[in-house]
Amino acid sequence: MKRHLVAGTVLTIMMSSPAMAEWNFSGPPNANAFIQTGDMTLELQCDRVRFAPAGYDDSQDIVSRQGLSFRFMKDGSTEVGAFQAGSVNADISLVDNYPVEVRFFDQGDYVFVLDQIAQNAVLNLSMADQDVSYGIFTLKGSSAAVRSLRAACGSNASTSQSMEAPEGIVYCGGGAVQRVIEYAIVGQPGEQWDAIVTVNGETVRAMTSYSFFGNSEPPAGFQVALLGEDRSEFLVFSDGGRNWIEFGDYTYDQCN
């Protein structure tokens, strides 16, 4: 993880000026703070960043390098903070065929990024470890937009924490690690978070996958993989009257 504050470092920028626009906020159910110019968009969501650079080649480059630097400046040239997203601290991928999405593993890293966006004047999104910019954005209006985003996301978090899976099959066991697991499909196929999983009373959102990690021959009884928002993975099986879930190194059988 690379995040740091720098006092008085002069950054040589390989672009003429930041994109001139103001930040805006869009409320629930999909709260986001964003800035949009003629050819670039930067969007802050509750737990991730989406960046659509001017060219598709730049999106491909960021994903192939698995790196994106967030460089914060108090004016047009003086860098006062930075965060380097990479495979060790974030998931960097293409979504909707074009924008780059950065999902932070540690919420503290995202808090740092939001703090810096809210309090500085310019954001330079650049190639990791190099002074080559993909896009430069003014942060005018970002403080109010980030404040609104945090208020909305705090409300959403409270709603998420109160989710309870509908009663259905309950899975218990696990040997050395005892758990009670229940899940429910709550959305339509193709939606990002179309399921919820409850483990020992704690509920997380999940996405479903009906292919066994690209294998053409899934194990006998395989029904669906549940990929948790917290990077957990649950494999659901049903075969010969037996229902079970595999989670980590343990198996949990139906117990209701």
Side-chain angles (χ1 to χ4, degrees):
M1 178 175 63
K2 293 184 178 179
R3 72 184 186 199
H4 59 276
L5 294 175
V6 181
T9 299
V10 177
L11 174 67
T12 302
I13 302 172
M14 304 305 293
M15 292 182 65
S16 57
S17 63
M20 297 308 296
E22 289 196 18
W23 282 78
N24 292 282
F25 170 73
S26 177
N30 300 308
N32 63 86
F34 66 95
I35 183 171
Q36 188 170 20
T37 67
D39 56 2
M40 292 189 300
T41 302
L42 180 62
E43 180 181 301
L44 311 175
Q45 298 183 9
C46 290
D47 60 349
R48 70 200 67 193
V49 172
R50 284 190 174 183
F51 169 47
Y56 181 63
D57 290 346
D58 285 341
S59 292
Q60 289 183 309
D61 188 60
I62 293 168
V63 173
S64 65
R65 291 175 182 273
Q66 282 296 291
L68 181 64
S69 288
F70 295 76
R71 309 174 79 168
F72 310 101
M73 291 170 282
K74 67 178 183 181
D75 50 36
S77 61
T78 306
E79 181 182 325
V80 293
F83 179 86
Q84 183 167 302
S87 58
V88 299
N89 55 31
D91 178 47
I92 302 175
S93 60
L94 285 180
V95 292
D96 301 330
N97 297 320
Y98 182 52
V100 174
E101 181 175 272
V102 181
R103 294 181 57 199
F104 300 85
F105 297 159
D106 184 343
Q107 184 64 19
D109 290 340
Y110 193 33
V111 168
F112 175 84
V113 169
L114 290 180
D115 285 346
Q116 294 301 308
I117 288 175
Q119 70 188 37
N120 284 297
V122 176
L123 169 63
N124 176 22
L125 296 176
S126 67
M127 191 178 295
D129 295 321
Q130 297 188 44
D131 289 342
V132 178
S133 294
Y134 296 112
I136 299 178
F137 294 89
T138 179
L139 297 179
K140 183 178 181 181
S142 62
S143 179
V146 169
R147 185 166 56 250
S148 297
L149 177 68
R150 282 174 156 157
C153 293
S155 175
N156 289 344
S158 298
T159 302
S160 175
Q161 290 170 1
S162 67
M163 287 190 305
E164 294 185 5
E167 292 186 5
I169 297 177
V170 179
Y171 303 85
C172 307
V177 181
Q178 293 289 313
R179 295 184 176 98
V180 176
I181 302 174
E182 188 176 2
Y183 79 92
I185 307 299
V186 297
Q188 298 297 318
E191 293 180 358
Q192 183 173 21
W193 306 112
D194 56 352
I196 55 176
V197 182
T198 300
V199 181
N200 293 344
E202 297 291 331
T203 299
V204 297
R205 297 185 300 177
M207 63 178 69
T208 58
S209 175
Y210 293 90
S211 62
F212 192 74
F213 303 105
N215 292 343
S216 58
E217 295 292 337
F222 173 73
Q223 300 292 307
V224 63
L226 305 170
L227 310 178
E229 189 176 17
D230 59 356
R231 306 187 68 79
S232 56
E233 296 179 358
F234 305 83
L235 306 180
V236 181
F237 294 85
S238 180
D239 187 42
R242 180 192 175 203
N243 299 304
W244 73 98
I245 282 180
E246 294 182 1
F247 175 43
D249 295 328
Y250 301 99
T251 298
Y252 300 84
D253 289 296
Q254 180 180 351
C255 57
N256 67 339

